[in-house]
């Protein structure tokens, strides 16, 4: 497991201790914590002594139901790069990897106890090279709905053609071979949706969430352009699109012989719109009161959707921004 971080003090990141604890109780071969300065590396080592002691003695408030846990076999290495850059920190640690699989995760991700037990069997299929996670959020409804749509989409597209529009960098498992050779193209991606593979995360409190939405939208515009016009494999695997279906509909005898063609097009538009709402059904099934609060008494979700649309339009205009 590789954990890049620049926020190790409790004042800066109160979730770091719990994140690290959930990593250790999964008992990986090694946990590599890479930070930006020597001072923070010293602070991590100081916290490690306390965290190990709490886990060994079953004293952790985060893991109260776990009891005594032996993590003596887990090798923990702390290092630093001298630069606060997540990509640089991640690539710096590749030299220390000695296992077939490597997991990257952020410092605000919490793993279930049996996470690794659910991950490893996925790679028994020699064709699988990358593993993506299902994410759960317990901070706000808007963030939860955003992730619900994200989870639905990556699961659905992965089931249809084995592809995904993105694999979240918050937590992923990848073959070390791919890290050593960026030109490996013969592996598939697997999205695991079992309950014991769900990670919990903290998602941007306001106003941080706005900056995150901009960053994700920028990435989407850049990656979609590459998928459509550089890689082009999406045209082979998914030739159907909303526009393609609409074009096909207008070429049918049913459409040409219909008296009220405009009404049919409106029905088609409504059907496409409803397919977007399908993604939210699992969430509102679990929390039905949110459906009435966010669609009727306070139309918060439609307002958020339209606001996010404006944000994405601006992100499209400024897609080159990597900040």
């Amino acid at each position: 497991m590789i954990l890049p971080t620049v926020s190790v003090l409790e004042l800066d990141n109160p979730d770091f201790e719990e994140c690290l604890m959930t990593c250790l109780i999964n008992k990986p071969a090694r946990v590599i914590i890479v930070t930006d300065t020597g001072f923070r590396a010293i602070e991590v080592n100081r916290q490690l002594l306390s965290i190990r002691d709490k886990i060994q003695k079953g004293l952790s408030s985060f893991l109260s139901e776990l009891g005594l846990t032996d993590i003596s076999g887990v090798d923990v290495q702390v290092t630093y790069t001298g630069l606060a850059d997540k990509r640089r920190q991640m690539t710096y640690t590749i030299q220390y990897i000695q296992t077939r699989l490597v997991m990257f995760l952020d410092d605000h991700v919490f793993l279930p106890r049996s996470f690794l037990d659910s991950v490893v069997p996925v790679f028994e299929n020699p064709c699988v090279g990358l593993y993506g996670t299902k994410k759960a959020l317990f901070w706000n409804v808007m963030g939860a709905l955003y992730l619900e749509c994200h989870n639905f989409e990556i699961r659905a597209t992965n089931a249809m053609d084995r592809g995904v529009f993105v694999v979240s960098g918050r937590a992923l498992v990848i073959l070390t071979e791919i890290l050593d050779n960026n030109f490996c193209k013969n592996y598939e991606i697997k999205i695991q949706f079992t309950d014991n593979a769900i990670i919990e995360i903290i998602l941007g409190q306001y106003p941080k969430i706005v900056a995150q939405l901009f960053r994700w939208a920028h990435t989407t515009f850049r990656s979609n352009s590459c998928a459509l016009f550089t890689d082009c494999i999406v045209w082979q695997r998914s030739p159907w699109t909303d526009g393609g279906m609409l074009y096909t509909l207008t070429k049918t005898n049913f459409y040409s012989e219909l008296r009220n063609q405009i009404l049919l097009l409106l029905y088609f538009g409504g059907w496409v719109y409803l397919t977007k709402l399908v993604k939210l059904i699992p969430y509102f099934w679990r929390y039905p009161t949110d459906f009435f609060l966010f669609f009727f008494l306070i139309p918060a979700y439609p307002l958020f959707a339209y606001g996010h649309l404006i944000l994405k339009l601006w992100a499209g205009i400024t897609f080159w921004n990597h900040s």
Side-chain angles (χ1 to χ4, degrees), residues 111-289:
L111 306 177
R113 181 181 181 181
S114 57
F115 180 81
L116 287 185
D117 291 336
S118 69
V119 170
V120 174
V122 172
F123 290 90
E124 292 178 359
N125 181 345
C127 296
V128 174
L130 180 61
Y131 169 99
T133 55
K134 177 182 180 181
K135 291 158 287 293
L137 175 70
F138 299 99
W139 181 75
N140 61 46
V141 175
M142 286 305 167
L145 290 175
Y146 186 93
L147 286 185
E148 195 74 34
C149 293
H150 178 98
N151 289 335
F152 188 101
E153 185 156 346
I154 61 175
R155 183 186 187 185
T157 54
N158 188 246
M160 286 192 298
D161 57 22
R162 306 182 304 283
V164 292
F165 78 99
V166 68
V167 174
S168 173
R170 288 192 187 90
L172 60 88
V173 182
I174 190 171
L175 286 174
T176 304
E177 177 188 348
I178 297 177
L179 297 178
D180 296 329
N181 180 5
N182 291 332
F183 296 97
C184 287
K185 292 187 176 181
N186 296 322
Y187 288 107
E188 298 178 1
I189 298 171
K190 175 65 176 177
I191 303 298
Q192 187 83 334
F193 252 64
T194 55
D195 291 339
N196 56 355
I198 299 176
I199 65 168
E200 297 179 13
I201 67 170
I202 302 295
L203 182 61
Q205 293 90 338
Y206 182 83
K208 184 180 178 181
I209 182 66
V210 178
Q212 288 179 312
L213 291 174
F214 262 117
R215 180 163 52 85
W216 296 334
H218 282 141
T219 301
T220 299
F221 273 100
R222 292 193 295 267
S223 61
N224 284 0
S225 298
C226 291
L228 290 172
F229 306 115
T230 304
D231 185 68
C232 296
I233 196 171
V234 66
W235 298 107
Q236 302 172 25
R237 290 186 172 180
S238 305
W240 59 87
T241 62
D242 291 346
M245 289 189 293
L246 178 62
Y247 176 79
T248 302
L249 175 64
T250 58
K251 296 302 179 180
T252 62
N253 291 333
F254 174 74
Y255 177 83
S256 60
E257 296 172 1
L258 199 64
R259 290 184 177 181
N260 197 336
Q261 297 176 341
I262 299 298
L263 182 61
L264 179 62
L265 294 178
L266 290 175
Y267 281 140
F268 176 82
W271 173 75
V272 171
Y273 175 74
L274 289 176
T275 62
K276 309 300 182 183
L277 297 181
V278 169
K279 301 176 182 180
L280 303 178
I281 291 177
Y283 176 84
F284 288 123
W285 184 264
R286 296 193 303 270
Y287 307 104
T289 55

Side-chain angles (χ1 to χ4, degrees), residues 33-53:
I33 305 166
V34 54
T35 185
D36 57 335
T37 65
F39 168 77
R40 289 193 172 93
I42 294 172
E43 174 62 23
V44 171
N45 278 312
R46 186 191 66 79
Q47 291 188 40
L48 267 173
L49 295 174
S50 172
I51 291 172
R52 279 186 175 275
D53 187 62

